[in-house]
């Protein structure tokens, strides 16, 4: 998080009257907030052992606030592509503040599957290549099959990201037809140099998009703090999905998530 | 937090649904009432389920609700003057639609009456609050690509005429019936009248005013009375060239109420820039990338937009202007030169020659 994060988070909480006496601070892999609605630690480093203190630990599922994933979910909810049967995911990125390990990516994508298709993951098959790459097939309670290619790339690599849902009437995807790489809203071409820019949110202009998603996710929790219980329960379940992936790799078996 | 009491008038403008959402969600704004141009509009508004009092006359609404501070004049272009007059009479600040009027003499009277009555009048040019647009123009203005040689932009959309029929009626969209040119059955008031944004962006990006415009119109792709495909080129007073496409060149289904399945081409609305400088080029897509699907009502490949938060920033500015009694960045006086340039584009089509602007 950069030095704009806390001021912008505070500004948005005030603008939308989400809490009184709001205070926030950063710690490694987490954002701590205190307000009249409670004390919360929103963590995004899923490898770290959580402190046991006055703060309620909650996972910072920032991807649930990303517009592109919200709209994929809306496409399903509006029945534009019919009953979903499968989802194809690629997520290979160089390590960054929010993604440091395969565990981070597995939790990200497993939770995103549940968020977009609104079903729980029930069964996992996985095949790891060390701590940098894994292929998975997962199955949900509604028998939707998901393939995942997840990995960590060398520093500075272009991200490989794809989320494609196969429905009985159509396909939804966050990658436009006939392209393989990420597209950006702005390109600057200067000789051999190509710069890209990703500004899409005017209300939080100047902030990195993942940090914007973090702010909007924290706002969503503050809107109704009763959401915290389901959120924490889901994180416990995501740990079990991850453990099932490890076990599947060890046993070479399609493994049920222990619940 | 101090709330500002807001109303919307007429409800016939294509952007009105955006105002429903914004006034409903923005905690700084207290949505007091709406006035409806006719029973059809009133019945349509009721379907959205907002618990807001409905009036069949804007004046009646203003009389019944003296607490109203600001009015979004969401009416047909030819009604704007009378509604502004009402707002001035009752001392209400105004958020004007993007075309206050194409009649420049009437436009000057609008400026005078709002000035005389100390009325804040903001013009709805929401692209100023689009983050991609803002960043692209900031980059260009900062010298990232050297001096700007040419500013080229599209504002290409489907046509709203089936859902908002007044946009295909020359008297309502342009204000009067003016033939597009000799020996042509069409009239002014179509796609060009719907797309002032790129003219405004050009002025903002170059910090200069129009020197001349040259425009030509294609044959229509629809059977409507107003133009739907045209191109414009010209030069700013600082020498910067431009090429603009404000067409309704994306086909649509003839829906009476915009909704899923409206578009035929996958992307129903685009604003793109190609800003050419002495040291490079900026390419920007102000509404992309997005997510995509095939299916929906017509089983077509379709863009599902992931943008559209421009109205938040625009209403925030209007709120602050009302609170602090200051004129907004996009006010009537600033916008007049954009409107004049658009009128001169119509003149260029009519006379088939470049039109210089003093």
């Amino acid at each position: 998080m950069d030095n704009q994060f806390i001021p912008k988070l505070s500004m948005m909480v005030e603008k939308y009257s989400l809490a009184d006496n709001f205070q926030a601070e950063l710690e490694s892999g987490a954002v701590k907030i205190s307000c009249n609605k409670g004390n919360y630690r929103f963590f995004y480093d899923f490898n770290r052992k959580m402190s046991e203190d006055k703060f309620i630990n909650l996972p910072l599922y920032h991807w649930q606030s990303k517009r592109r994933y919200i709209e994929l979910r809306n496409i399903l909810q509006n029945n534009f592509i019919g009953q979903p049967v499968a989802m194809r995911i690629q997520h290979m990125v160089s390590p960054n503040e929010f993604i440091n390990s395969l565990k981070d990516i597995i939790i990200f994508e497993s939770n995103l599957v549940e968020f977009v298709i609104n079903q729980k993951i029930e069964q996992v098959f996985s095949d790891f290549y060390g701590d940098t790459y894994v292929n998975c097939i997962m199955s949900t309670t509604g028998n939707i099959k998901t393939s995942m290619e997840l990995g960590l790339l060398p520093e500075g690599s272009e991200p490989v990201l794809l989320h494609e849902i196969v429905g009985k009437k159509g396909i939804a995807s966050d990658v436009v037809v006939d392209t393989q790489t990420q597209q950006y809203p702005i390109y600057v071409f200067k000789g051999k140099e190509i710069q890209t820019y990703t500004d899409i949110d005017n209300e939080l202009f100047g902030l990195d998009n993942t940090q914007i998603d973090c702010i909007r996710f924290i706002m969503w929790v503050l809107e109704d703090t009763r959401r915290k219980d389901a959120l924490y329960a889901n994180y416990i379940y995501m740990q079990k999905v991850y453990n099932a992936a490890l076990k599947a790799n060890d046993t070479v078996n399609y493994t049920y998530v222990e619940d | 937090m101090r709330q500002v009491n807001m109303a919307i008038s007429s409800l016939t403008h294509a952007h009105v649904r955006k105002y429903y959402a914004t006034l409903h969600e923005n905690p700084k704004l207290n949505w007091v009432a709406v006035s409806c141009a006719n029973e059809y509009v009133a019945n349509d508004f009721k379907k959205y389920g907002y618990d807001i009092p409905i009036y069949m006359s804007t004046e009646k609404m203003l009389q019944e609700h003296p607490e109203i501070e600001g009015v979004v004049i969401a009416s047909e272009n030819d009604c704007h003057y009378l509604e502004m007059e009402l707002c001035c009479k009752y001392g209400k600040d105004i958020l004007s639609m993007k075309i206050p009027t194409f009649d420049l003499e009437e436009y000057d009277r609008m400026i005078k009456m709002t000035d005389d009555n100390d009325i804040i009048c903001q013009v709805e040019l929401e692209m100023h609050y689009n983050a991609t647009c803002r960043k692209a123009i900031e980059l260009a203005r900062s010298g990232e690509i050297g001096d700007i040689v040419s500013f080229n932009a599209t504002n290409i959309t489907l046509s709203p005429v089936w859902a908002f029929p007044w946009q295909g009626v020359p008297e309502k969209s342009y204000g009067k019936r003016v033939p597009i040119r000799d020996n042509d059955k069409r009239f002014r008031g179509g796609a060009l009248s719907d797309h002032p944004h790129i003219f405004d962006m050009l002025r903002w990006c170059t910090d200069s005013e129009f020197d001349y415009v040259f425009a030509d119109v294609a044959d229509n792709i629809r059977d409507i009375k107003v133009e739907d495909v045209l191109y414009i080129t010209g030069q700013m007073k600082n020498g910067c060239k431009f090429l603009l496409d404000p067409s309704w060149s994306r086909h649509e289904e003839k829906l009476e109420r915009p909704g899923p399945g409206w578009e035929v081409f996958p992307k129903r609305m685009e604003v793109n820039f190609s800003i050419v400088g002495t040291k490079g080029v900026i390419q920007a897509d102000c509404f992309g990338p997005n997510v995509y699907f095939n299916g929906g009502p017509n089983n077509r490949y379709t863009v599902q937009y992931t943008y559209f938060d421009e109205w938040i920033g625009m209403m925030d500015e209007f709120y602050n202007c009302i609170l602090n009694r200051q004129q907004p960045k996009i006010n009537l006086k600033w916008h007049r030169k954009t409107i004049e340039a658009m009128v001169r584009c119509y003149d260029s089509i009519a006379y088939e020659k470049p039109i210089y602007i003093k």
Side-chain angles (χ1 to χ4, degrees):
Chain A
M1 304 288 188
D2 64 26
N3 58 8
Q4 292 185 73
F5 182 83
I6 296 294
K8 293 214 171 185
L9 171 62
S10 305
M11 178 269 289
M12 292 294 276
V13 169
E14 185 186 356
K15 176 177 178 182
Y16 289 96
S17 304
L18 294 172
D20 295 330
N21 305 319
F22 182 82
Q23 290 190 315
E25 63 175 299
L26 299 176
E27 64 177 32
S28 176
V31 182
K32 289 195 318 189
I33 68 166
S34 300
C35 62
N36 65 322
K37 293 182 174 177
N39 302 307
Y40 303 101
R41 175 184 288 103
F42 288 93
F43 60 94
Y44 52 90
D45 177 352
F46 300 128
N47 289 290
R48 160 192 143 140
K49 188 174 183 309
M50 282 302 109
S51 310
E52 298 293 333
D53 53 19
K54 68 172 183 175
F55 290 89
I56 297 169
N57 293 315
L58 294 175
L60 210 176
Y61 290 161
H62 49 84
W63 49 86
Q64 291 192 8
S65 294
K66 191 171 282 300
R67 220 16 228 283
R68 60 165 49 190
Y69 301 139
I70 291 171
E71 292 304 331
L72 282 177
R73 188 179 62 164
N74 284 342
I75 288 167
L76 286 180
Q77 288 181 344
N78 290 324
N79 198 30
F80 289 160
I81 64 166
Q83 174 67 35
V85 300
M87 186 165 178
R88 196 156 67 89
I89 292 171
Q90 290 180 301
H91 189 144
M92 288 175 276
V93 293
S94 47
N96 58 67
E97 183 177 10
F98 297 98
I99 297 289
N100 259 313
S101 67
L102 285 181
K103 183 180 181 185
D104 288 338
I105 309 181
I106 289 170
I107 288 180
F108 181 130
E109 292 298 346
S110 301
N111 178 264
L112 185 61
V113 166
E114 294 196 350
F115 174 73
V116 170
I117 64 182
N118 198 27
Q119 291 182 17
K120 287 182 84 168
I121 291 167
E122 189 176 50
Q123 220 175 347
V124 180
F125 188 89
S126 68
D127 193 352
F128 282 70
Y129 176 77
D131 56 5
T132 57
Y133 185 83
V134 59
N135 289 327
C136 300
I137 292 176
M138 298 191 186
S139 183
T140 69
T141 47
N143 202 34
I144 294 173
K145 308 302 179 187
T146 303
S147 76
M148 296 185 185
E149 305 168 48
L150 314 176
L152 296 169
L153 299 175
E155 192 177 342
S157 304
E158 274 284 300
V160 178
L161 291 165
L162 166 73
H163 299 86
E164 177 188 284
I165 303 149
V166 181
K168 289 191 174 178
K169 283 196 328 187
I171 306 288
S173 175
D174 59 358
V175 175
V176 70
V177 65
D178 252 357
T179 56
Q180 299 176 68
T181 55
Q182 292 300 295
Q183 307 295 303
Y184 298 95
I186 300 175
Y187 296 86
V188 180
F189 302 113
K190 292 197 289 188
K192 289 180 180 173
E193 183 188 350
I194 300 175
Q195 293 166 343
T196 58
Y197 296 86
T198 58
D199 303 81
I200 54 173
D201 189 324
N202 193 60
E203 205 172 17
L204 289 164
F205 189 76
L207 208 57
D208 161 80
N209 281 339
T210 305
Q211 293 188 49
I212 290 173
D213 298 335
C214 289
I215 289 178
R216 295 199 178 280
F217 185 78
I218 293 170
M219 291 170 65
W220 176 78
V221 174
L222 289 177
E223 266 174 25
D224 183 354
T225 50
R226 288 172 298 182
R227 289 166 173 157
K228 69 180 187 300
D229 296 335
L231 197 53
Y232 191 72
N234 180 272
Y235 181 66
I236 299 298
Y237 192 75
M238 285 299 113
Q239 299 272 17
K240 292 176 179 173
V241 171
Y242 175 67
N243 289 335
L246 295 178
K247 187 173 174 186
N249 182 61
D250 290 342
T251 61
V252 199
N253 274 323
Y254 211 178
T255 304
Y256 278 94
V257 179
E258 292 174 16
D259 198 9
Chain B
M1 179 176 55
R2 153 99 153 82
Q3 282 191 311
V4 165
N5 294 321
M6 293 289 304
I8 316 178
S9 72
S10 291
L11 313 190
T12 47
H13 198 273
H15 288 166
V16 74
R17 291 172 305 150
K18 297 291 178 191
Y19 292 106
Y20 298 163
T22 307
L23 266 58
H24 181 66
E25 290 164 12
N26 192 327
K28 295 175 177 175
L29 305 173
N30 177 34
W31 189 5
V32 174
V34 297
S35 69
C36 295
N38 53 54
E39 287 294 338
Y40 177 84
V41 169
N43 287 331
D44 184 69
F45 177 71
K46 288 173 190 168
K47 290 177 191 163
Y48 286 91
Y50 297 113
D51 184 22
I52 300 292
I54 298 171
Y55 293 86
M56 298 311 296
S57 144
T58 300
E59 182 154 26
K60 179 81 172 163
M61 173 179 78
L62 297 178
Q63 287 169 344
E64 293 288 320
H65 293 279
E67 74 273 26
I68 291 171
E69 297 170 273
V71 178
V72 179
I73 297 183
S75 56
E76 300 152 359
N77 289 349
D78 68 326
C79 299
H80 291 165
Y81 184 84
L82 288 176
E83 294 218 311
M84 274 195 196
E85 220 174 24
L86 273 178
C87 287
C88 288
K89 177 181 171 185
Y90 288 92
K92 310 301 179 191
D93 295 319
I94 296 167
L95 185 72
S96 165
M97 294 298 96
K98 55 194 175 184
I99 305 296
T101 174
F102 280 115
D103 180 332
L104 295 172
E105 186 273 329
E106 185 176 74
Y107 199 112
D108 289 337
R109 280 189 279 131
M110 285 176 169
I111 292 173
K112 183 171 188 314
M113 87 184 156
T114 51
D115 278 354
D116 289 350
N117 290 281
D118 191 26
I119 297 296
I120 288 160
C121 184
Q122 180 170 337
V123 181
E124 172 216 55
L125 287 174
E126 71 277 8
M127 291 306 294
H128 278 264
Y129 314 92
N130 173 287
T132 303
C133 175
R134 179 175 165 185
K135 184 70 177 186
I137 289 179
E138 273 185 17
L139 287 168
R141 287 174 60 98
S142 72
E144 183 67 28
I145 52 167
D147 296 332
I148 302 171
V149 172
S150 189
F151 178 98
N152 307 329
T154 67
N155 185 180
I156 42 183
T157 66
L158 46 65
S159 173
V161 294
W162 319 112
F164 303 94
W166 67 269
Q167 291 198 255
V169 178
E171 293 84 349
K172 290 184 173 295
S173 59
Y174 190 73
K176 55 190 169 187
R177 184 169 281 237
V178 181
I180 197 93
R181 61 187 169 199
D182 288 344
N183 304 314
D184 197 308
K185 291 179 180 172
R186 295 170 298 174
F187 301 91
R188 298 181 181 189
L192 173 56
S193 298
D194 196 26
H195 293 148
H197 305 286
I198 45 181
F199 293 84
D200 177 67
M201 294 296 116
L202 170 55
R203 294 175 59 211
W204 180 22
C205 186
T206 60
D207 220 1
S208 185
E209 299 299 343
F210 291 91
D211 182 25
Y212 81 88
V213 295
F214 177 75
D216 200 2
V217 64
D219 290 341
N220 272 16
I221 58 175
R222 301 170 183 78
D223 185 17
I224 55 177
K225 289 179 182 168
V226 292
E227 83 285 352
D228 63 10
V229 177
L230 72 156
Y231 300 121
I232 295 150
T233 188
Q235 181 172 283
M236 303 301 278
K237 293 203 186 295
N238 69 356
C240 179
K241 318 293 182 191
F242 60 84
L243 183 63
L244 306 178
D245 179 353
S247 299
W248 285 336
S249 55
R250 280 24 187 168
H251 297 79
E252 69 282 329
E253 295 291 342
K254 297 177 180 177
L255 301 188
E256 290 185 3
R257 197 177 197 218
W262 196 12
E263 56 277 274
V264 173
F265 185 75
K267 194 168 186 178
R268 65 176 179 269
M269 184 274 295
E270 298 182 44
V271 174
N272 302 308
F273 299 142
S274 166
I275 309 173
V276 182
T278 51
K279 294 180 182 170
V281 177
I282 297 170
Q283 290 283 122
D285 177 352
C286 297
F287 296 102
N290 292 290
V291 296
Y292 316 88
F293 68 94
N294 77 301
N298 302 314
N299 198 23
R300 292 197 181 110
Y301 190 65
T302 305
V303 169
Q304 176 92 351
Y305 285 94
T306 56
Y307 285 70
F308 287 2
D309 71 344
E310 297 80 27
W311 271 261
I312 296 171
M314 194 177 73
M315 293 309 289
D316 282 350
E317 182 174 4
F318 189 51
Y319 170 87
N320 287 327
C321 288
I322 289 178
L323 236 56
N324 302 315
R325 304 312 301 165
Q326 63 193 30
Q327 286 295 337
K329 183 169 61 175
I330 312 303
N331 55 57
L332 275 179
K333 284 174 190 156
W334 157 266
H335 191 47
R336 190 187 186 284
K337 287 181 177 171
T338 293
I339 295 292
E340 183 181 3
M342 295 171 76
V343 172
R344 299 307 166 224
C345 289
Y346 278 123
D347 292 344
S348 175
I349 292 168
Y351 303 130
E352 298 181 355
K353 64 178 188 181
I355 303 292
Y356 284 82
I357 299 171
K358 288 178 184 170

